[in-house]
Amino acid sequence: MCGINGFNFKNDELIKKMSSLTFSRGPDYEGFFSSERFSFSHNRLSIIDPLQRSNQPFLEDELVLSFNGEIYNHKELRKKLEFKGYNFLTSSDTEVIIKLFKEYGIDSFRMLSGIFSIALYDKRKDYLYLIRDIVGIKPLYYLYDNLKKKFFFSSLIKPLLLNLESKEINNLSILSYANFNRNDFAETFFKKIFKVIPGELITFDNK
């Protein structure tokens, strides 16, 4: 379990506030990435390769990765990439994800077997990718302010509430829980805050 947060502008104070609200998900390390175009934070719970070299956000060339979960087939994917000439500096599944994306692009996400939520930013294209595993074990939420053109994402709803000016209850979500004891829709209890549904890929073009 880890915590990931981010948004499409620079605000060091805000990203630290959001990270403090997901700290319990990953108390082993708190990492940040900041540029004029995007800000990330990551709260790490160290499992695979707990060394500092695998801390996140994980940067390689033009890619920034914040990943929560576990990739079950990372060793097999590593061997496939090594056969193609890739060299690895860690034994983490995190590095496998970022190199797999370099080789296969968004098709790489179909190759991952595991439980995960992923936020991957391509600095060159100024694209953000949000991905969640098909079972939906690891949570991932987002908020888009259409007027201000600001996009936020987080492992929890609470950090997003910092950026939601008008907090309104979403009755559709409540009715779903009341009738079925579950909610299979993208809506959450708060209007304008959505979840990445299981197996979904969301691409945000920051241009």
Side-chain angles (χ1 to χ4, degrees):
M1 184 170 69
C2 296
I4 61 180
N5 297 284
F7 43 78
N8 65 327
F9 55 97
K10 182 179 176 63
N11 188 323
D12 294 338
E13 181 180 357
L14 177 59
I15 196 65
K16 288 179 181 178
K17 284 183 180 179
M18 292 177 67
S19 182
S20 69
L21 295 175
T22 53
F23 184 76
S24 61
R25 296 184 60 85
D28 295 331
Y29 177 80
E30 184 180 38
F32 298 92
F33 166 81
S34 180
S35 72
E36 293 302 320
R37 302 291 293 169
F38 244 99
S39 301
F40 277 77
S41 75
H42 187 91
N43 311 106
R44 185 184 181 196
L45 180 66
S46 302
I47 299 177
I48 301 176
D49 193 1
L51 300 178
Q52 183 177 352
R53 63 188 183 181
S54 292
N55 285 340
Q56 299 182 53
F58 194 93
L59 280 62
E60 182 162 327
D61 297 331
E62 296 300 312
L63 301 176
V64 182
L65 173 65
S66 190
F67 152 64
N68 170 30
E70 184 177 355
I71 305 303
Y72 300 147
N73 62 337
H74 72 97
K75 292 183 179 179
E76 292 85 348
L77 294 172
R78 178 186 295 267
K79 290 179 181 178
K80 185 173 184 176
L81 290 167
E82 287 176 336
F83 182 77
K84 288 181 170 290
Y86 284 88
N87 296 312
F88 288 82
L89 301 177
T90 77
S91 58
S92 69
D93 47 359
T94 305
E95 189 177 10
V96 171
I97 294 172
I98 206 165
K99 283 184 164 59
L100 199 70
F101 182 84
K102 288 176 69 175
E103 180 67 22
Y104 297 103
I106 61 173
D107 289 337
S108 64
F109 304 134
R110 299 179 182 273
M111 305 166 70
L112 301 176
S113 174
I115 52 176
F116 55 85
S117 59
I118 297 171
L120 193 153
Y121 175 53
D122 187 328
K123 292 186 288 183
R124 181 177 58 84
K125 292 183 177 180
D126 207 11
Y127 276 18
L128 172 73
Y129 303 91
L130 298 181
I131 310 97
R132 197 167 171 218
D133 68 83
I134 59 173
V135 181
I137 300 296
K138 299 300 181 180
L140 190 55
Y141 302 92
Y142 63 94
L143 162 68
Y144 182 55
D145 187 327
N146 189 48
L147 293 177
K148 297 180 180 179
K149 304 301 180 184
K150 290 184 176 181
F151 186 87
F152 307 86
F153 63 90
S154 179
S155 295
L156 299 176
I157 289 178
K158 194 172 183 179
L160 298 181
L161 292 176
L162 293 174
N163 309 289
L164 185 60
E165 295 181 1
S166 177
K167 298 174 179 60
E168 299 180 53
I169 296 297
N170 188 341
N171 291 322
L172 177 63
S173 180
I174 293 176
L175 286 173
S176 180
Y177 274 108
N179 289 316
F180 307 109
N181 201 30
R182 59 188 288 171
N183 177 23
D184 294 328
F185 305 107
E187 285 84 0
T188 68
F189 281 140
F190 295 92
K191 289 184 178 181
K192 299 183 180 180
I193 294 180
F194 300 88
K195 66 183 177 216
V196 181
I197 62 175
E200 185 175 31
L201 163 66
I202 292 177
T203 303
F204 177 77
D205 182 349
N206 202 25
K207 297 171 184 172

